[in-house]
Amino acid sequence: MIGHLSPDVVFLDVNMPVLDGFDFLESVDSSKFKIVFVTAHEEHAIKAIKAKAVDYLLKPIDIKELQQTVKRLADHFKNNDNVITSVQNDKVILPASYGFTAINAEEIIRLEAEDCYTHIFTVNEKKITVSKTLKEIEEKVSDRLFFRVHKSHLINLRHIKDYSKLDGGCITMSDGVKIQVSRRKGSEFTEKYKEFIMKQ
């Protein structure tokens, strides 16, 4: 049902037949939705936090606690609208608690995935974290400037400082950070970068 309905939130019990809640999470891609654990056992709380749950509710459910959890979730989704890219002026608009931040795509050095979050590193050494997967952002930004060199890294081709083919391929970015190129992306990356340089 999760695969079919693509829910925003899953309220998940811990003690279930066949798989418990934690084993179940390991069997699905949980980066696509928020998790609220529902359990009669308070000792599961720490494990729920480690599983990156937004919240956990103790049985029997207290209606006020449930309302608070739903309000937190509603506020979260309200403050985290879709990442938008304007092709006309290469602006990347990122959600923020107060509204949004607009930055020039040229100013983004690289993007790094961490579970269902993405860290965005810019030229002014600012780090912006948004609750969007790297795949979601990759689908929005211009493929003229950005290339996914690794499952965890999306880079701005303009900010490449150095590339070494040793050890499978390693890129040094303008901020000095070294990023490994996945083996299956190696040849595609070199072709993409040649094409990028020729168009400059």
Side-chain angles (χ1 to χ4, degrees):
M1 287 183 70
I2 284 174
H4 177 66
L5 298 174
S6 300
D8 293 315
V9 183
V10 173
F11 287 77
L12 187 60
D13 205 338
V14 174
N15 294 323
M16 304 188 296
V18 186
L19 293 175
D20 69 23
F22 300 109
D23 290 335
F24 169 75
L25 277 184
E26 291 181 5
S27 71
V28 297
D29 181 4
S30 60
S31 68
K32 304 286 188 186
F33 52 84
K34 300 298 178 189
I35 309 151
V36 177
F37 275 104
V38 183
T39 176
H41 306 285
E42 195 165 2
E43 62 268 22
H44 289 311
I46 299 297
K47 198 171 180 182
I49 292 167
K50 287 183 177 178
K52 294 184 171 58
V54 172
D55 205 349
Y56 71 94
L57 295 169
L58 285 175
K59 296 178 184 177
I61 301 298
D62 180 282
I63 186 63
K64 288 184 178 179
E65 288 184 4
L66 176 59
Q67 288 170 338
Q68 288 171 356
T69 295
V70 172
K71 184 181 184 306
R72 276 197 293 273
L73 287 161
D75 288 344
H76 167 82
F77 289 115
K78 183 173 68 178
N79 293 329
N80 288 276
D81 293 327
N82 287 333
V83 174
I84 306 165
T85 300
S86 172
V87 177
Q88 286 80 6
N89 55 14
D90 278 333
K91 287 276 188 183
V92 178
I93 301 173
L94 302 167
S97 58
Y98 53 82
F100 63 84
T101 300
I103 58 177
N104 291 322
E106 300 271 354
E107 295 177 4
I108 297 173
I109 298 173
R110 57 193 178 86
L111 302 95
E112 183 176 341
E114 184 182 2
D115 299 315
C116 56
Y117 296 91
T118 299
H119 304 298
I120 300 164
F121 299 87
T122 66
V123 292
N124 59 2
E125 298 184 353
K126 187 176 181 182
K127 176 184 172 184
I128 304 167
T129 299
V130 294
S131 58
K132 295 289 177 184
T133 64
L134 189 59
K135 186 177 188 303
E136 287 176 286
I137 297 179
E138 181 188 12
E139 289 171 352
K140 298 286 185 179
V141 298
S142 168
D143 62 0
R144 176 180 61 82
L145 270 182
F146 295 91
F147 185 77
R148 184 87 170 262
V149 294
H150 186 276
K151 67 178 182 179
S152 300
H153 297 284
L154 180 67
I155 66 168
N156 187 333
L157 298 171
R158 196 175 295 285
H159 286 281
I160 292 174
K161 186 178 177 182
D162 180 63
Y163 172 62
S164 171
K165 291 183 178 179
L166 299 176
D167 300 321
C170 183
I171 297 169
T172 303
M173 301 301 293
S174 61
D175 60 356
V177 172
K178 295 184 183 296
I179 295 174
Q180 199 72 30
V181 180
S182 71
R183 294 189 180 279
R184 66 184 187 85
K185 288 279 190 174
S187 57
E188 186 183 350
F189 162 70
T190 52
E191 287 302 314
K192 177 74 175 180
Y193 192 61
K194 285 177 187 175
E195 180 185 331
F196 173 76
I197 292 298
M198 288 176 67
K199 290 181 178 179
Q200 299 308 297

